[in-house]
Amino acid sequence: MEESLQMAKRIKKRYPPVHEMTPSEQVGLVREVFATIPRRYDFLNRVFSLRRDVAWRRFAVRKMRFFNTSRFLDVATGTADLAVETVRRHPPVRVAALDFVLEMMAVGRQKIRRKHMADRIRLIQGDALSLPFDDNVFDVAAIAFGIRNIPDRRRALEEMKRVVVLGGQVMALEMNFPRHPLFRRFYDLYLNRVLPRMARLFSRNPAAYRYLGDSIKEFPSPDQFARLMAEAGLTGIEKYSLTLGITYLYIGVKPETKS
Ligand SMILES: C[S@@+](CC[C@H](N)C(=O)[O-])C[C@H]1O[C@@H](n2cnc3c(N)ncnc32)[C@H](O)[C@@H]1O
């Protein structure tokens, strides 16, 4: 009943393409988009990615190395899937999970309670561009499917680097628009035709999914993004292509010596 009322309150919106927006317009849109889709966010993630999103987060969590403070920072935590998976896989670790959209965090809070993880995961409302933490406190800071929504990506990476310990890891898990021409055409069709139609069936803000598709197309190539991580002062950059390259995991390390 509540669900059908939600659908009845369907939001009729059109968002401009990402490349036509100023950074502050994009941030405003991101806040609006994520405030309107939290209830169906997990469900649609699983459907649209054929549950690959779960495997991608697991892959990232397996690559995490806790060696000093046993603290993990999940930036742009959304509904807290990465935080939950990290606690499950690395039992002694404590997590700070940060996002700037309360509606997404509310779904995350319920999930954390349901899984009895409230003593291990602390949800914090805040901005990835100005992290409310001291320097050198986390072994690992990661952002899953969040960095493409942040226009000032370099600043976000620098902030993550600032708060991890020397030798700590900064990770980004992000969708990628494939480069192979055939796969590109197929994926383009999926993002522009299939995904918006499915979103119309299930989401009260289908235009949000147009934005999400568009933001994937606008995201830098894996090589460009790896270079950006190096420019942010990270070293030993590794990149892993997942599921035919539709997602990449990037890992950089905060150098032991000041740079
Ligand atoms: C696609 S969701 C990803 C959620 C989650 N990490 C996951 O793996 O599903 C992107 C999230 O980034 C958050 N976000 C975007 N820009 C942000 C910023 N500058 N500071 C904090 N959170 C931000 C949004 O509110 C949203 O919850």
Side-chain angles (χ1 to χ4, degrees):
M1 175 66 183
E2 201 186 331
E3 200 65 35
S4 47
L5 277 176
Q6 284 285 345
M7 291 300 283
K9 283 192 243 148
R10 188 181 282 273
I11 297 166
K12 292 205 176 93
K13 274 260 172 192
R14 283 186 84 84
Y15 296 118
V18 172
H19 68 269
E20 285 179 13
M21 279 184 275
T22 64
S24 66
E25 281 169 346
Q26 191 185 347
V27 172
L29 181 151
V30 164
R31 284 180 183 268
E32 180 179 308
V33 158
F34 287 103
T36 55
I37 61 173
R39 289 169 57 84
R40 288 292 179 100
Y41 176 80
D42 285 355
F43 167 73
L44 287 176
N45 259 354
R46 306 296 182 267
V47 172
F48 290 151
S49 76
L50 305 173
R51 272 192 83 78
R52 289 291 78 205
D53 67 310
V54 176
W56 297 330
R57 286 192 203 85
R58 279 198 184 141
F59 184 83
V61 170
R62 280 204 301 276
K63 291 281 175 193
M64 292 177 182
R65 298 287 165 255
F66 293 97
F67 62 98
N68 184 339
T69 64
S70 289
R71 291 183 66 189
F72 168 55
L73 172 63
D74 181 13
V75 180
T77 190
T79 58
D81 274 347
L82 189 68
V84 164
E85 182 56 26
T86 305
V87 162
R88 210 181 58 77
R89 164 89 194 188
H90 301 281
V93 167
R94 302 184 84 79
V95 182
L98 174 134
D99 203 287
F100 67 10
V101 172
L102 278 175
E103 289 84 347
M104 291 289 277
M105 293 164 73
V107 174
R109 181 164 288 111
Q110 286 172 4
K111 186 183 297 173
I112 291 165
R113 281 212 195 108
R114 239 185 3 256
K115 293 180 184 290
H116 307 289
M117 291 179 174
D119 55 335
R120 308 269 313 282
I121 303 173
R122 193 160 58 99
L123 281 165
I124 297 150
Q125 190 182 22
D127 192 332
L129 296 182
S130 170
L131 294 173
F133 307 106
D134 291 337
D135 299 357
N136 307 310
V137 285
F138 299 97
D139 280 342
V140 183
I143 183 163
F145 313 112
I147 195 81
R148 74 170 187 272
N149 297 298
I150 301 179
D152 194 348
R153 297 184 182 111
R154 178 169 168 165
R155 167 94 179 273
L157 291 168
E158 285 169 347
E159 272 295 88
M160 290 165 78
K161 178 190 151 214
R162 177 181 69 74
V163 300
V164 297
V165 297
L166 300 182
Q169 294 168 306
V170 171
M171 295 187 174
L173 188 62
E174 195 46 89
M175 307 289 293
N176 170 55
F177 197 62
R179 310 288 133 179
H180 188 285
L182 249 181
F183 193 25
R184 221 182 145 81
R185 276 179 61 185
F186 169 78
Y187 200 55
D188 200 29
L189 210 74
Y190 179 69
L191 288 182
N192 285 320
R193 304 253 181 258
V194 182
L195 191 133
R197 283 197 171 92
M198 279 164 70
R200 237 180 280 153
L201 288 178
F202 294 112
S203 174
R204 61 186 271 257
N205 185 6
Y209 285 84
R210 268 197 190 279
Y211 160 73
L212 292 177
D214 193 28
S215 65
I216 294 170
K217 285 175 82 172
E218 291 297 320
F219 194 70
S221 72
D223 284 346
Q224 285 168 335
F225 188 73
R227 264 199 302 281
L228 189 66
M229 288 183 83
E231 282 164 27
L234 296 159
T235 56
I237 314 294
E238 294 171 277
K239 51 184 188 343
Y240 297 90
S241 160
L242 305 171
T243 316
L244 302 171
I246 57 171
T247 286
Y248 268 74
L249 172 67
Y250 305 87
I251 307 177
V253 172
K254 177 166 171 173
E256 301 277 348
T257 50
K258 283 217 163 197
S259 66

